[in-house]
Coordinates of all heavy atoms in Angstrom, one line a residue:
P1 N 36.0 11.4 -10.3 CA 35.3 11.1 -11.6 C 35.3 9.6 -11.8 O 36.3 8.9 -11.4 CB 36.2 11.8 -12.6 CG 37.5 11.9 -12.0 CD 37.3 12.1 -10.5
D2 N 34.2 9.0 -12.4 CA 34.2 7.6 -12.7 C 34.8 7.4 -14.1 O 35.1 8.4 -14.8 CB 32.7 7.1 -12.6 CG 31.8 7.6 -13.7 OD1 32.3 8.3 -14.6 OD2 30.6 7.4 -13.6
P3 N 35.0 6.2 -14.6 CA 35.6 5.9 -15.9 C 34.9 6.6 -17.0 O 35.5 6.9 -18.0 CB 35.6 4.4 -16.0 CG 35.5 3.9 -14.6 CD 34.7 4.9 -13.8
A4 N 33.6 6.8 -16.9 CA 32.9 7.5 -18.0 C 33.0 9.0 -18.0 O 32.5 9.7 -18.8 CB 31.4 7.1 -17.9
G5 N 33.7 9.5 -17.0 CA 33.9 10.9 -16.9 C 32.9 11.6 -16.1 O 33.0 12.9 -16.0
R6 N 32.0 10.9 -15.6 CA 31.0 11.5 -14.8 C 31.6 11.8 -13.4 O 32.5 11.1 -13.0 CB 29.7 10.6 -14.6 CG 29.0 10.4 -15.9 CD 27.7 9.7 -15.7 NE 28.0 8.3 -15.1 CZ 28.1 7.2 -15.8 NH1 28.0 7.2 -17.1 NH2 28.3 6.1 -15.1
V7 N 31.0 12.8 -12.8 CA 31.5 13.1 -11.4 C 30.7 12.3 -10.4 O 29.5 12.4 -10.4 CB 31.3 14.6 -11.2 CG1 31.8 14.9 -9.7 CG2 32.2 15.4 -12.2
A8 N 31.4 11.6 -9.6 CA 30.7 10.8 -8.6 C 30.3 11.7 -7.4 O 30.6 12.8 -7.3 CB 31.7 9.7 -8.1
A9 N 29.6 11.0 -6.5 CA 29.2 11.8 -5.3 C 30.4 12.3 -4.5 O 31.4 11.7 -4.5 CB 28.3 10.9 -4.4
P10 N 30.2 13.4 -3.9 CA 31.3 13.9 -3.1 C 31.8 13.0 -2.1 O 31.0 12.3 -1.5 CB 30.7 15.2 -2.5 CG 29.6 15.6 -3.4 CD 29.0 14.3 -3.9
V11 N 33.1 12.9 -1.9 CA 33.7 12.1 -0.8 C 34.2 13.0 0.3 O 35.1 13.8 0.0 CB 34.8 11.2 -1.4 CG1 35.4 10.3 -0.3 CG2 34.2 10.3 -2.5
H12 N 33.8 12.8 1.5 CA 34.3 13.6 2.6 C 35.6 13.0 3.1 O 35.7 11.8 3.4 CB 33.3 13.6 3.7 CG 32.1 14.5 3.4 ND1 31.9 15.7 3.8 CD2 31.0 14.2 2.6 CE1 30.8 16.2 3.4 NE2 30.2 15.3 2.6
H13 N 36.6 13.9 3.3 CA 37.9 13.5 3.9 C 37.9 14.3 5.3 O 38.2 15.5 5.3 CB 39.1 13.9 3.1 CG 39.1 13.1 1.8 ND1 39.3 11.8 1.7 CD2 39.0 13.5 0.5 CE1 39.3 11.4 0.5 NE2 39.1 12.4 -0.3
P14 N 37.7 13.6 6.4 CA 37.7 14.4 7.6 C 39.0 15.1 7.9 O 40.0 14.6 7.7 CB 37.4 13.2 8.7 CG 36.9 12.1 7.9 CD 37.5 12.2 6.5
Q15 N 38.8 16.3 8.3 CA 40.0 17.1 8.7 C 40.4 16.8 10.1 O 39.6 16.5 11.0 CB 39.6 18.6 8.6 CG 39.2 19.1 7.2 CD 40.4 19.1 6.3 OE1 41.5 19.7 6.6 NE2 40.3 18.4 5.2
P16 N 41.7 16.7 10.3 CA 42.2 16.5 11.7 C 41.7 17.5 12.7 O 41.6 18.7 12.3 CB 43.7 16.5 11.6 CG 44.0 17.3 10.4 CD 42.8 17.0 9.4
E17 N 41.4 17.1 13.9 CA 41.0 18.1 14.9 C 42.1 19.0 15.2 O 43.2 18.6 15.4 CB 40.5 17.4 16.2 CG 39.2 16.6 16.1 CD 38.0 17.5 15.9 OE1 38.1 18.7 16.4 OE2 37.1 17.1 15.3
P18 N 41.9 20.3 15.2 CA 42.9 21.3 15.6 C 43.4 21.0 17.0 O 42.6 20.7 17.9 CB 42.3 22.7 15.4 CG 40.8 22.4 15.6 CD 40.6 21.0 15.0
P19 N 44.7 21.1 17.3 CA 45.1 20.9 18.7 C 44.5 21.9 19.6 O 44.2 23.1 19.2 CB 46.6 21.1 18.6 CG 46.8 21.9 17.4 CD 45.7 21.6 16.4
E20 N 44.2 21.5 20.8 CA 43.6 22.4 21.8 C 44.6 23.5 22.1 O 45.8 23.2 22.4 CB 43.3 21.6 23.1 CG 42.1 20.7 22.9 CD 41.7 20.1 24.2 OE1 42.2 20.6 25.3 OE2 40.8 19.2 24.2
R21 N 44.1 24.7 22.2 CA 45.0 25.8 22.5 C 45.3 25.8 24.0 O 44.4 25.7 24.8 CB 44.3 27.1 22.0 CG 44.3 27.3 20.5 CD 43.8 28.7 20.2 NE 43.8 28.9 18.7 CZ 43.4 30.0 18.1 NH1 43.0 31.0 18.9 NH2 43.4 30.1 16.8
S22 N 46.5 26.0 24.3 CA 46.9 26.1 25.7 C 46.5 27.5 26.2 O 46.7 28.5 25.6 CB 48.4 26.0 25.8 OG 48.9 26.2 27.1
T23 N 45.8 27.5 27.4 CA 45.4 28.7 28.0 C 46.6 29.3 28.8 O 47.6 28.6 29.1 CB 44.3 28.5 28.9 OG1 44.7 27.7 30.1 CG2 43.1 27.8 28.2
L24 N 46.5 30.6 29.1 CA 47.5 31.2 29.9 C 47.7 30.5 31.3 O 48.8 30.3 31.7 CB 47.2 32.7 30.1 CG 48.2 33.5 31.0 CD1 49.6 33.5 30.3 CD2 47.7 34.9 31.1
V25 N 46.6 30.1 31.9 CA 46.7 29.4 33.1 C 47.4 28.1 33.0 O 48.2 27.7 33.8 CB 45.3 29.2 33.7 CG1 45.3 28.3 34.9 CG2 44.6 30.5 34.1
D26 N 47.1 27.4 31.9 CA 47.8 26.1 31.6 C 49.3 26.3 31.5 O 50.1 25.6 32.1 CB 47.3 25.4 30.4 CG 45.9 24.9 30.5 OD1 45.5 24.6 31.6 OD2 45.2 24.8 29.5
D27 N 49.7 27.4 30.8 CA 51.1 27.7 30.6 C 51.7 28.0 32.0 O 52.9 27.6 32.3 CB 51.3 28.9 29.7 CG 51.0 28.6 28.2 OD1 51.0 27.4 27.9 OD2 50.7 29.5 27.5
M28 N 51.0 28.7 32.8 CA 51.6 29.1 34.1 C 51.7 27.9 35.0 O 52.7 27.7 35.7 CB 50.6 30.1 34.8 CG 50.7 31.5 34.2 SD 49.6 32.6 35.1 CE 50.0 34.2 34.3
K29 N 50.8 26.9 34.9 CA 50.9 25.7 35.7 C 52.1 24.9 35.4 O 52.8 24.3 36.2 CB 49.7 24.9 35.6 CG 48.4 25.4 36.3 CD 47.2 24.5 36.1 CE 46.0 25.0 36.9 NZ 44.9 24.1 36.7
R30 N 52.5 24.9 34.1 CA 53.7 24.2 33.6 C 55.0 24.9 33.9 O 56.0 24.4 33.7 CB 53.5 23.9 32.1 CG 52.5 22.8 31.8 CD 52.6 22.4 30.3 NE 52.2 23.5 29.4 CZ 51.0 23.6 28.9 NH1 50.0 22.8 29.3 NH2 50.7 24.6 28.1
G31 N 54.9 26.2 34.3 CA 56.0 27.0 34.6 C 56.5 27.8 33.3 O 56.4 27.3 32.2
L32 N 56.9 29.0 33.6 CA 57.4 29.9 32.5 C 58.9 29.9 32.4 O 59.6 29.5 33.4 CB 56.9 31.3 32.7 CG 55.4 31.4 32.9 CD1 55.0 32.9 33.1 CD2 54.6 30.9 31.7
D33 N 59.5 30.3 31.3 CA 60.9 30.3 31.1 C 61.6 31.3 32.1 O 62.8 31.1 32.4 CB 61.3 30.8 29.7 CG 61.0 29.7 28.7 OD1 60.9 28.5 29.1 OD2 60.9 30.0 27.5
A34 N 60.8 32.2 32.6 CA 61.3 33.2 33.6 C 60.1 33.6 34.5 O 59.0 33.6 34.0 CB 62.0 34.4 33.0
P35 N 60.4 33.9 35.7 CA 59.2 34.3 36.6 C 58.7 35.6 36.1 O 59.4 36.5 35.6 CB 59.9 34.4 37.9 CG 61.3 34.6 37.7 CD 61.6 33.9 36.4

């Protein structure tokens, strides 16, 4: 809102990019806790 109480133009706040999901193959390449 501006000082007169009017609503200003919308302001965009970029959302952070979601982290890339690890694929099963990626997990396998890094090694599993047990075979």
